[in-house]
Amino acid sequence: QVWSGNKGTLTLDGNIHKTNVVYPDTGAEMTIAEAAAAKKPKYMVITLGVNGVAYATETQFKAYYGKLITAIKQASPDTRIILQSIFPVSESYDQKGGKLCNANIDIANGWIMQIASEHGCKYLDTASVLKNDSGAMIALYDNGDGIHMTADAYRAVLQYIRTHGYTD
């Protein structure tokens, strides 16, 4: 299942642990921790942080993620959490000169790896299957805006999760 906000994606900020998602089983809105408590998933893959790269400091980024992980673990202690890397942006998007660029994404992915280690979660470098030789998003995976991806890109990510996630 995919749990997302009522407006689509979720933003990694100081309220992420309080942010509501639409729970697919009922259509009700609840926090991610409440959804974890209701579903008790064996595994949970978290994909967050691309917007946080543009505005959060390292300390803030790690604190936001940590609050969410702690809330999920309290709500569903047996759920095994996987933190997924932030996906790269296209070369054209990267060259716009903003804070949301592949160099900063790579730095944030290092933070996510640290967070995973500190909180007993698994880290998956799914970004690696999406990058070309220069570290930007493979052109065929760009849906045209430089940041969002095609269905083929998501299939590649899902295959990576299946082959590199928990295998038990």
Side-chain angles (χ1 to χ4, degrees):
Q1 288 184 326
V2 175
W3 300 345
S4 64
N6 59 8
K7 295 178 184 168
T9 62
L10 300 170
T11 299
L12 181 63
D13 61 20
N15 290 317
I16 188 64
H17 63 292
K18 299 178 192 174
T19 301
N20 282 346
V21 295
V22 177
Y23 185 61
D25 289 357
T26 63
E29 289 191 26
M30 58 184 72
T31 69
I32 298 168
E34 290 168 339
K39 190 71 172 181
K40 301 280 190 223
K42 184 172 183 179
Y43 306 107
M44 179 179 286
V45 178
I46 300 175
T47 309
L48 288 171
V50 71
N51 295 322
V53 169
Y55 67 84
T57 66
E58 177 180 358
T59 300
Q60 291 169 325
F61 190 97
K62 288 178 175 180
Y64 302 159
Y65 238 116
K67 283 182 181 180
L68 177 61
I69 294 166
T70 298
I72 293 167
K73 285 186 168 198
Q74 288 174 347
S76 185
D78 294 329
T79 296
R80 299 175 82 185
I81 299 172
I82 298 170
L83 303 184
Q84 187 175 190
S85 59
I86 300 169
F87 306 141
V89 296
S90 72
E91 288 185 46
S92 61
Y93 195 96
D94 191 60
Q95 295 169 358
K96 289 181 179 181
K99 289 184 179 182
L100 182 52
C101 62
N102 288 314
N104 288 344
I105 289 170
D106 289 344
I107 290 168
N109 282 336
W111 300 341
I112 296 171
M113 189 183 319
Q114 291 171 359
I115 295 163
S117 176
E118 291 167 6
H119 289 272
C121 302
K122 187 171 186 77
Y123 172 78
L124 286 184
D125 180 21
T126 50
S128 64
V129 300
L130 302 170
K131 290 182 176 183
N132 62 22
D133 290 340
S134 67
M137 183 192 310
I138 294 169
L140 292 174
Y141 290 159
D142 181 0
N143 81 349
D145 67 1
I147 191 168
H148 295 99
M149 302 185 312
T150 64
D152 285 340
Y154 285 106
R155 280 191 278 278
V157 168
L158 185 57
Q159 181 60 28
Y160 188 92
I161 292 169
R162 287 180 174 142
T163 58
H164 293 80
Y166 292 108
T167 56
D168 57 311

